[in-house]
């Protein structure tokens, strides 16, 4: 079996096929799944892949984590998130544990030695190929990873934010347009609402504050944590859970599904989750339910909506973003 992702190709070249690995924040690669003794990821979708192959897979927020194999941190595009993972590993692993760090050159891996130096972590360069580099270091006591959490005010709400969560530290323009469109419609109360891809929880909190029964889901554990913190900061309640689109909802139906769906995975554009959101919406809407979503104007969502939902309308358009509505 050959690795497919460039970073995994470098790992296969360096480690061969006989070293048990513990990837942290990896991408999906069948070779890596096969080589793993355990893994850690904020993505419930990726953890499900590893668990399907009977491999131990952990969220970084689980109370008990037992890592097996050579720890390899996959450096993310968001360097603040990479630093959080580094601090987290130094907290959960015994001091002096070997940690290797791999990433693509265009993703900022070449800046990692500078950040390791700033944290007083000694490092070595192990290998480079496929426009990727592999470094090694060892854990030592560092700062508290919780320090990465921040809060900021957005209108009537206080929002919690974490590196790697969509719109980190600010309100996305598309989300603002979406909330304005929902406000202008004068939603009846209470509706059973699903916030798909809840991010920092701004949409869920806005809806809960207006008396709706909200379920908030996201594939990322960071987003789930952020939404829970946002709700708590505003003395609001909602159900929050990790789910790869509808995977954990077991056929539940809602009066309203609302979303600002992501279309980036690291540096790649991916419509997979958004397409599943739209294609399966009818199965999760009540007979008079509605799907309302916001998207960049250039994205091909009208085609997806027309194919899956039939008729749809544009509720708002500011030339950069559009808010679409389709009924069940």
């Amino acid at each position: 079996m050959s690795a497919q992702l460039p970073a995994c190709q470098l790992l296969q070249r360096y480690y061969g096929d006989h070293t048990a690995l513990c990837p942290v924040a990896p991408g999906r690669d069948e070779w890596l799944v096969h080589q793993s003794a355990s893994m850690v990821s904020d993505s419930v979708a990726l953890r499900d892949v590893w668990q399907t192959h009977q491999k131990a897979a952990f969220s970084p927020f689980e109370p008990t984590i037992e890592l097996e194999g050579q720890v390899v941190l996959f450096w993310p595009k968001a360097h603040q998130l990479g630093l959080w993972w580094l601090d987290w590993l130094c907290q959960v692993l015994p001091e002096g544990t070997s940690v290797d760090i791999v990433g693509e050159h265009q993703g900022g891996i070449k800046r990692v030695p500078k950040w390791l130096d700033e944290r007083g972590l000694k490092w070595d360069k192990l290998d480079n190929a496929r426009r990727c580099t592999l470094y090694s270091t060892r854990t030592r006591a560092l700062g508290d990873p919780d320090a990465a959490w921040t809060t900021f005010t957005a209108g009537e709400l206080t929002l919690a934010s974490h590196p790697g969560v969509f719109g980190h530290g600010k309100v996305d323009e598309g989300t603002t347009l979406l909330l304005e469109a929902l406000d202008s419609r004068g939603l009846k109360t209470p509706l059973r609402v699903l916030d798909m891809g809840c991010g920092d929880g701004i949409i869920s909190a806005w809806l809960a504050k207006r008396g709706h029964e909200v379920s908030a889901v996201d594939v990322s554990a960071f987003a789930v944590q952020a939404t829970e913190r946002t709700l708590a900061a505003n003395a609001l309640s909602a159900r929050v859970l990790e789910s790869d689109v509808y995977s954990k909802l077991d056929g539940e139906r809602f009066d309203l599904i609302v979303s600002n769906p992501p279309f980036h995975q690291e540096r790649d554009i991916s419509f997979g989750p958004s397409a599943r959101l739209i294609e399966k919406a009818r199965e999760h809407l009540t007979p008079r339910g509605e799907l309302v979503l916001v998207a960049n104007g250039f994205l091909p969502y009208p085609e997806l909506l027309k194919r899956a939902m039939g008729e749809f309308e544009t509720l708002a358009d500011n030339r950069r973003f559009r808010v679409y509505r389709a009924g069940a």
Side-chain angles (χ1 to χ4, degrees):
M1 181 184 298
S2 297
Q4 299 301 310
L5 297 177
C8 290
Q9 291 173 341
L10 173 56
L11 295 181
Q12 186 173 30
R13 159 186 158 130
Y14 184 79
Y15 292 113
D17 294 328
H18 303 291
T19 300
L21 302 178
C22 175
V24 176
R28 180 170 179 173
D29 189 293
E30 292 302 314
W31 173 85
L32 186 62
V33 176
H34 180 75
Q35 291 300 124
S36 298
S38 61
M39 70 89 79
V40 185
S41 175
D42 72 294
S43 169
V44 67
L46 285 178
R47 297 200 304 272
D48 285 348
V49 170
W50 263 256
Q51 289 168 350
T52 297
H53 289 79
Q54 288 75 53
K55 302 297 179 86
F58 300 95
S59 161
F61 299 108
E62 291 184 36
T64 303
I65 297 175
E66 298 179 1
L67 304 185
E68 297 182 28
Q70 171 61 52
V71 176
V72 181
L73 171 60
F74 283 69
W75 197 258
K77 179 180 68 173
H79 77 270
Q80 287 182 310
L81 181 57
L83 294 174
W84 183 90
W85 278 114
L86 190 61
D87 291 345
W88 180 83
L89 286 168
C90 285
Q91 182 185 66
V92 301
L93 295 174
E95 187 161 347
T97 301
S98 171
V99 173
D100 293 345
I101 305 171
V102 69
E104 297 184 33
H105 295 169
Q106 63 180 345
I109 187 66
K110 288 187 174 182
R111 298 172 65 189
V112 166
K114 172 180 176 290
W115 291 319
L116 294 174
D117 288 339
E118 290 176 352
R119 279 165 162 68
L121 295 171
K122 296 181 179 179
W123 58 272
D124 290 305
K125 180 178 177 180
L126 300 179
D127 200 359
N128 68 281
R130 306 293 191 271
R131 297 182 179 177
C132 299
T133 298
L134 176 65
Y135 297 103
S136 69
T137 188
R138 290 188 177 273
T139 58
R140 62 182 292 270
L142 294 177
D144 184 358
D146 268 356
W149 286 99
T150 59
T151 59
F152 65 101
T153 301
E156 61 189 355
L157 298 171
T158 297
L159 304 180
S161 188
H162 189 280
V165 175
F166 175 71
H168 176 45
K170 63 182 185 299
V171 179
D172 173 70
E173 180 185 350
T175 297
T176 298
L177 188 67
L178 172 63
L179 293 179
E180 290 172 352
L182 290 175
D183 195 32
S184 68
R185 284 179 64 78
L187 299 176
K188 295 180 181 180
T189 305
L191 295 177
R192 192 160 186 249
V193 184
L194 173 63
D195 177 8
M196 179 65 74
C198 54
D200 60 19
I202 181 173
I203 297 174
S204 292
W206 188 90
L207 289 163
K209 193 173 183 68
R210 285 154 179 78
H212 300 288
E213 180 186 342
V214 180
S215 293
V217 305
D218 203 291
V219 73
S220 168
F222 294 122
V224 167
Q225 289 280 319
T227 295
E228 289 178 343
R229 290 177 182 234
T230 289
L231 291 165
N234 294 279
L236 298 168
S237 62
R239 181 179 64 150
V240 189
L241 68 155
E242 294 178 64
S243 180
D244 181 14
V245 193
Y246 301 108
S247 64
K248 308 298 183 184
L249 295 175
D250 298 324
E252 295 182 53
R253 291 183 179 269
F254 302 88
D255 302 310
L256 173 65
I257 298 174
V258 61
S259 183
N260 182 352
F263 63 93
H264 280 112
Q265 292 184 352
E266 287 290 308
R267 289 169 299 280
D268 298 327
I269 291 178
S270 172
F271 301 118
S274 299
R276 283 182 283 142
L277 162 66
I278 295 169
E279 290 166 357
K280 300 293 184 181
R282 282 187 182 275
E283 299 174 18
H284 294 274
L285 286 171
T286 55
R288 293 188 177 182
E290 297 179 320
L291 169 66
V292 178
L293 60 85
V294 63
N296 293 76
F298 65 85
L299 295 174
Y301 291 170
E303 300 169 19
L304 293 172
L305 286 164
K306 189 169 185 179
R307 186 166 63 245
M309 306 292 290
E311 297 299 319
F312 71 94
E313 62 178 314
T314 301
L315 298 180
D317 184 347
N318 69 358
R319 297 187 179 182
R320 282 173 45 80
F321 294 91
R322 294 174 185 164
V323 179
Y324 303 107
R325 187 208 72 86

